[in-house]
Amino acid sequence: MQDDKTDDRASPGLDLSAEIVNDEAVLKSGTPAVADDVLPDSLYLIPVPQRPFFPGQVQPVGMDPEEWGGTIKAVMDQSNGVVGLAYVDPSQLSGGEPEPRHFPEMGCVVRLHRPPVINENPGQFLAQGVRRFRIVRWLSDKAPYRVQVEYPRSQGDRESDDVKAYAMAVLQAVKELLPLNPLYSEELRHYIANFNPNQPGLLADFSAALTTANGDQLQEILETLPLQSRMQKVLTLLSKEREVAQLRGKITEQVNEKVTDQQREFFLREQMKVIQKELGISKDDRTSDAERFEARLESLILPDAVRERIDDELQKLSVLEPGSPEYGVTRNYLDWATQVPWGLTSEDNLDLKHAAGVLDRDHDGLEDVKDRILEFLAVGSFKGEIAGSILLLVGPPGVGKTSIGRSVADALGREFYRFSLGGMRDEAEIKGHRRTYVGAMPGKFVQALKEVKVANPVIMLDEIDKIGASFRGDPASALLEVLDPEQNSEFLDHYLDLRVDLSKVLFVCTANQLDTIPGPLLDRMETLRLSGYVAEEKLAIARNHLWPKQLERHGLKEEQLKINDPALKYVIESYCREAGVRNLEKQLSRIMRKSIVGFVKGRGTGRRKSQAEVVEKRRIGKRDIDDLLGKPLFQPEKPQRGIGVATGLAWTAMGGATLPIESSRIHTLNRGFKLTGRLGDVMRESADIAYSFVISHLKDYRCDPDFFDTSMVHLHVPEGATPKDGPSAGITIATALVSLARKERIRRPLAMTGELTLTGQVLPVGGIREKVIAARRAKIMELILPHANRRDFEELPDYLSEGINVHFARNFRDVFETVFEDHRRGKSLH
């Protein structure tokens, strides 16, 4: 009679198809019989991550030799050479050592066939699963772990029809997996071919180990002792495995079909090329590339060195295989070298009347800049060519620096190319990359010549004051060769490794300020200052340029939306006081958007009518501006007046500005001098100098000699959130302190600028044009300027200097008499 219990031990052999050890008889009471090779009743225990080990499974086991070396040594000291492996989920450990609660109840005892050799490979050994074990009691809960175990047996009659049917189903499922997964080895096929139907439990364990199921699912099968239940679960895993394998096969088949189609198309194209070549219809890639490059060279005037280099590269191209990497490098080089316009130039239009008309058409105001550009063009007309000059346009944002460069190109009839240097940190952007680098390209100037197709374009270098430097090099230093008329006739690009003549290029650079431009680079350029616009110039620009441009951009016609001059002037004075007109353009665009919203709402919700059916018209006056743009951002400026208050003039990157300076005596308890208003170091020094000068000359200016001895004086420059610095506020601070000491206020609108020395001398300052514009904007028509700046004021255009009464001071005595004495002598102020 067949026992209803079976044994799942595997033979000690390494081959998966090796003979399985004979089953052990199971007593009716269920107590285990003694096996042929007796397993110990206590085992050393090693946790295994990822997935559990099964009886009959033979594979290497990896471990941390530092952590489990002691356990392996203890096992090797035993004569039986067996150890228990139990699955422990690494996610439960939280980075610490496993504890008894982390181990499952059931594991697999394995025999070490190739124990780890400490000196060779201490972290790996070859193990063969023997049979299941169940932990009865823990003998040691610290590494090396040791437990008392028992060896449960599979439950169920292995000779029953149900078990045999399940065994055949499992075997069939494994056979179906073989053609779907190429990872299964020949040993697996050999095992299935020699499968012993008397070992259904081992078949179930072996089949479960083949799957890619997770550790928890496999542990559940390891702990399932009834044969029928275990086989049901294994069949479920095999079914999922088959579905995944079939899906993977479909994906692989689709990919292979695409690859096959591409290969077929490639072969057909190659065959077509060969047929066309035999018939003389077409040429191969190498021949066609060489002919194309030769055709480009026919229209060029190549220097001898360039012709020699290109001929060498063409010769190299003729012997290289089209599929080689070197062929691609050489082909790209020739592609660039033959597209540089060697010797090709466009004819300049040197008609000064035409140039003046273009500048006046594109720009209102900026008369001094226009005159300088016309002088530059006149010299070129006299010589017969324009070369050798590099113009630098410096001014606040929005004054038209970039558009002037485009106008110069239009006036000359030259091609125009612009790129920005702002934030550029790589020297290779200027001089190109070496050909040895992957993805190498020429520099920006060779790229510009390739695009414009002539050797004498107008190239605009925008934001030259914002160029950077990094570990990749200093682009500003690389520009020295480009912007030097004595050197740029032989500019060397690193990619081409050829001398390129840039002397015929007209370079126009733009910057907001000069402080950040390196001195050697600045020395190579001719500086033209654009100081900004007064209200009258802004009005003309808005009427003649900005408003028509915005009408076109918003799809409006001139008769649909009109704005009168008082409204434009109100927008300029109340919303756009900066030096440029960029913000003015934004405000005009905002007016149009608001007006279009009104047009759309006025059409109602009925049928959408065409523009021809409904022609909306609106005239915008000064009263409409507040509704369209909100409350004014700026209120009319009134110069501050009072004892201890003086108005200065300052230069900023945004243009000129008025700078009121206030001084006050806080108390008479002790002597002191306090400065506020975020003043820079230079301005603080100016304040200290002015304070010392006024104290040492109180009698000369009829002040109380003891005024400052017991006075705590506070000097403040309003708008404290704005940093202020610069050597031009000396006489303004001294005037405020004299006014405080005399207890006399300045009785008329008056602004001043100039630096003061300890001996009372008034030193010249910069930015006279910007400061005069700021004074006119604030409606201050009487100024005090340093005598050394008389020439700067006299060079201003008439529309700026007209109506302004200027006093030129050599020393502070002149300033004092102008401020506090002129009104007593009855001088005419305007």
Side-chain angles (χ1 to χ4, degrees):
M1 177 178 177
Q2 178 64 41
D3 295 329
D4 60 350
K5 309 278 185 165
T6 59
D7 186 9
D8 293 329
R9 292 183 303 161
S11 72
L14 297 182
D15 193 346
L16 293 179
S17 62
E19 181 182 358
I20 308 301
V21 296
N22 295 328
D23 292 345
E24 300 173 10
V26 180
L27 300 179
K28 296 286 187 178
S29 60
T31 57
V34 179
D36 294 337
D37 53 343
V38 178
L39 296 174
D41 59 356
S42 65
L43 294 173
Y44 286 101
L45 199 60
I46 296 179
V48 290
Q50 308 304 330
R51 53 194 290 137
F53 214 90
F54 281 91
Q57 187 176 359
V58 180
Q59 69 177 32
V61 176
M63 64 176 182
D64 186 355
E66 295 182 0
E67 185 175 359
W68 304 107
T71 302
I72 295 300
K73 186 176 183 303
V75 173
M76 293 171 62
D77 291 340
Q78 297 180 137
S79 60
N80 52 29
V82 294
V83 66
L85 299 183
Y87 166 70
V88 176
D89 189 355
S91 62
Q92 299 179 2
L93 301 182
S94 301
E97 293 185 357
E99 300 176 2
R101 60 186 178 88
H102 295 134
F103 287 85
E105 184 183 17
M106 195 83 73
C108 179
V109 60
V110 300
R111 189 177 304 279
L112 304 184
H113 287 279
R114 294 180 186 173
V117 180
I118 296 177
N119 294 330
E120 295 181 2
N121 190 7
Q124 193 173 31
F125 59 87
L126 184 65
Q128 178 187 16
V130 179
R131 64 183 299 177
R132 289 170 172 77
F133 70 83
R134 179 184 292 119
I135 298 175
V136 177
R137 184 166 60 93
W138 282 82
L139 302 177
S140 173
D141 57 358
K142 301 290 184 182
Y145 300 107
R146 190 172 179 85
V147 293
Q148 182 179 350
V149 299
E150 64 178 7
Y151 302 98
R153 306 179 183 279
S154 297
Q155 301 170 1
D157 185 2
R158 65 185 181 184
E159 296 296 334
S160 67
D161 293 339
D162 291 341
V163 171
K164 289 183 178 180
Y166 272 111
M168 298 306 296
V170 170
L171 187 61
Q172 182 63 30
V174 174
K175 289 182 178 180
E176 291 176 358
L177 277 177
L178 287 180
L180 298 177
N181 194 335
L183 298 178
Y184 300 141
S185 62
E186 286 298 323
E187 288 82 359
L188 175 60
R189 299 176 184 271
H190 184 63
Y191 172 77
I192 294 176
N194 296 277
F195 166 66
N196 185 358
N198 294 325
Q199 299 293 334
L202 187 60
L203 173 64
D205 294 340
F206 181 73
S207 302
L210 290 178
T211 66
T212 58
N214 58 44
D216 293 335
Q217 292 174 325
L218 295 178
Q219 180 65 31
E220 182 181 355
I221 291 177
L222 185 67
E223 294 178 355
T224 303
L225 296 179
L227 280 176
Q228 190 168 334
S229 298
R230 191 192 312 172
M231 288 186 172
Q232 287 178 347
K233 295 178 180 179
V234 170
L235 277 174
T236 302
L237 294 183
L238 291 174
S239 177
K240 292 181 180 178
E241 198 75 14
R242 184 174 63 253
E243 292 177 0
V244 172
Q246 289 174 347
L247 179 59
R248 181 170 60 247
K250 290 181 180 179
I251 296 174
T252 304
E253 184 179 353
Q254 293 175 358
V255 172
N256 290 336
E257 287 179 358
K258 292 182 180 179
V259 173
T260 303
D261 291 342
Q262 292 175 355
Q263 291 176 342
R264 178 174 177 273
E265 183 178 352
F266 171 75
F267 288 130
L268 289 176
R269 289 186 180 277
E270 291 299 317
Q271 291 174 359
M272 184 173 64
K273 289 180 181 179
V274 173
I275 294 172
Q276 290 177 342
K277 183 178 178 181
E278 292 295 331
L279 295 176
I281 301 176
S282 67
K283 305 174 181 64
D284 59 7
D285 292 340
R286 184 166 50 192
T287 304
S288 60
D289 287 339
E291 290 184 355
R292 182 169 70 255
F293 297 145
E294 289 285 359
R296 291 178 183 174
L297 297 177
E298 292 178 359
S299 59
L300 303 178
I301 305 174
L302 299 178
D304 294 339
V306 176
R307 166 58 75 178
E308 183 178 353
R309 170 63 66 82
I310 292 180
D311 287 344
D312 291 343
E313 296 294 330
L314 285 171
Q315 178 64 27
K316 183 193 298 184
L317 190 75
S318 65
V319 299
L320 290 173
E321 288 296 327
S324 66
E326 183 66 19
Y327 181 87
V329 173
T330 305
R331 181 186 178 280
N332 290 340
Y333 176 83
L334 286 171
D335 188 40
W336 278 103
T338 56
Q339 291 192 76
V340 176
W342 305 100
L344 299 182
T345 58
S346 60
E347 185 177 354
D348 290 333
N349 185 351
L350 301 177
D351 185 357
L352 293 186
K353 291 184 178 180
H354 170 73
V358 171
L359 293 175
D360 290 336
R361 179 198 68 194
D362 296 340
H363 299 275
D364 286 300
L366 305 177
E367 300 301 331
D368 50 345
V369 177
K370 293 178 184 178
D371 292 341
R372 177 61 191 89
I373 292 175
L374 290 177
E375 293 171 5
F376 169 75
L377 299 180
V379 173
S381 176
F382 186 78
K383 289 172 55 181
E385 65 173 353
I386 293 179
S389 292
I390 291 93
L391 302 180
L392 173 61
L393 305 176
V394 182
V399 295
K401 300 184 294 296
T402 303
S403 59
I404 283 181
R406 191 177 297 275
S407 297
V408 170
D410 292 342
L412 288 173
R414 289 191 177 190
E415 298 292 333
F416 180 77
Y417 185 89
R418 171 195 169 274
F419 67 91
S420 176
L421 297 171
M424 184 180 291
R425 295 178 178 272
D426 192 352
E427 172 197 3
E429 294 284 339
I430 303 297
K431 305 197 74 173
H433 304 78
R434 302 285 182 186
R435 267 205 291 172
T436 54
Y437 295 111
V438 176
M441 291 182 64
K444 285 288 187 182
F445 296 99
V446 173
Q447 295 180 35
L449 295 181
K450 172 190 173 184
E451 183 168 330
V452 299
K453 296 181 175 59
V454 290
N456 62 338
V458 175
I459 295 181
M460 168 156 282
L461 309 179
D462 246 344
E463 312 294 352
I464 198 171
D465 57 327
K466 299 175 181 61
I467 197 169
S470 69
F471 65 91
R472 296 183 180 90
D474 184 5
S477 299
L479 281 175
L480 295 177
E481 181 183 1
V482 177
L483 299 183
D484 190 343
E486 302 298 327
Q487 300 181 45
N488 61 11
S489 60
E490 294 187 349
F491 170 71
L492 180 65
D493 184 87
H494 288 164
Y495 179 82
L496 295 179
D497 199 23
L498 295 171
R499 299 288 178 178
V500 181
D501 185 5
L502 298 179
S503 61
K504 295 180 174 58
V505 177
L506 176 57
F507 293 100
V508 181
C509 309
T510 70
N512 296 129
Q513 55 190 5
L514 300 178
D515 300 345
T516 56
I517 302 177
L521 185 58
L522 184 62
D523 184 58
R524 286 163 166 78
M525 299 181 284
E526 184 175 352
T527 303
L528 299 180
R529 291 188 176 272
L530 287 75
S531 303
Y533 304 104
V534 294
E536 291 78 8
E537 292 175 324
K538 284 187 176 182
L539 180 62
I541 293 171
R543 174 62 64 194
N544 299 331
H545 301 284
L546 302 182
W547 187 257
K549 177 181 176 181
Q550 291 301 321
L551 285 174
E552 181 180 0
R553 180 174 295 177
H554 289 82
L556 293 170
K557 296 182 179 179
E558 185 177 355
E559 63 271 10
Q560 288 182 275
L561 190 64
K562 295 184 178 181
I563 186 170
N564 57 30
D565 288 349
L568 284 175
K569 192 172 183 180
Y570 181 64
V571 172
I572 293 168
E573 294 178 348
S574 301
Y575 298 87
C576 311
R577 287 190 179 178
E578 67 284 341
V581 294
R582 188 167 290 141
N583 186 45
L584 175 58
E585 185 174 9
K586 293 178 182 178
Q587 298 300 333
L588 296 180
S589 175
R590 187 179 176 189
I591 289 174
M592 291 193 181
R593 292 197 302 270
K594 296 278 188 179
S595 300
I596 291 175
V597 170
F599 290 164
V600 175
K601 287 183 178 179
R603 292 177 178 178
T605 59
R607 180 179 63 88
R608 182 178 180 183
K609 300 179 180 180
S610 65
Q611 194 175 28
E613 294 176 309
V614 177
V615 179
E616 297 87 348
K617 293 183 179 181
R618 182 175 182 182
R619 294 182 60 88
I620 299 174
K622 181 178 179 180
R623 296 180 179 179
D624 303 320
I625 299 300
D626 288 351
D627 295 335
L628 295 170
L629 299 181
K631 295 299 180 182
L633 302 178
F634 303 98
Q635 299 298 329
E637 286 188 6
K638 293 183 179 180
Q640 298 185 26
R641 297 185 188 181
I643 296 175
V645 179
T647 301
L649 296 172
W651 179 92
T652 68
M654 300 293 291
T658 57
L659 196 69
I661 294 178
E662 305 170 342
S663 62
S664 175
R665 177 160 61 171
I666 302 175
H667 57 73
T668 58
L669 299 178
N670 61 323
R671 180 175 181 174
F673 188 50
K674 180 179 180 181
L675 297 173
T676 57
R678 289 196 70 183
L679 307 182
D681 294 338
V682 176
M683 200 164 179
R684 285 181 173 273
E685 290 182 358
S686 298
D688 291 337
I689 293 171
Y691 182 69
S692 300
F693 174 79
V694 171
I695 290 178
S696 61
H697 295 81
L698 286 175
K699 291 183 179 180
D700 297 342
Y701 302 121
R702 294 184 292 279
C703 301
D704 181 4
D706 301 326
F707 178 82
F708 289 102
D709 292 342
T710 59
S711 299
M712 178 63 186
V713 177
H714 184 177
L715 187 85
H716 176 64
V717 182
E719 298 185 16
T722 304
K724 309 168 190 71
D725 200 8
S728 64
I731 66 173
T732 312
I733 296 173
T735 302
L737 294 175
V738 170
S739 172
L740 180 65
R742 288 171 58 91
K743 299 179 181 179
E744 179 181 355
R745 70 184 182 90
I746 301 175
R747 301 180 181 276
R748 61 191 189 278
L750 179 67
M752 62 193 74
T753 182
E755 186 58 17
L756 186 66
T757 68
L758 278 175
T759 59
Q761 301 300 312
V762 179
L763 301 180
V765 295
I768 295 299
R769 179 188 175 100
E770 290 86 349
K771 293 174 181 179
V772 171
I773 291 175
R776 293 188 71 96
R777 190 181 298 123
K779 295 182 173 55
I780 299 176
M781 306 302 288
E782 185 176 4
L783 307 178
I784 299 177
L785 302 178
H787 188 273
N789 289 117
R790 177 187 288 271
R791 178 181 176 183
D792 297 327
F793 179 80
E794 291 175 350
E795 289 179 352
L796 294 178
D798 294 339
Y799 67 88
L800 288 181
S801 59
E802 183 180 0
I804 294 183
N805 184 24
V806 180
H807 307 275
F808 297 99
R810 288 186 171 89
N811 50 55
F812 189 73
R813 168 61 64 178
D814 298 335
V815 177
F816 173 77
E817 291 179 355
T818 301
V819 175
F820 296 103
E821 300 291 339
D822 279 359
H823 70 280
R824 293 191 177 94
R825 294 197 291 265
K827 287 189 176 182
S828 174
L829 302 179
H830 302 287

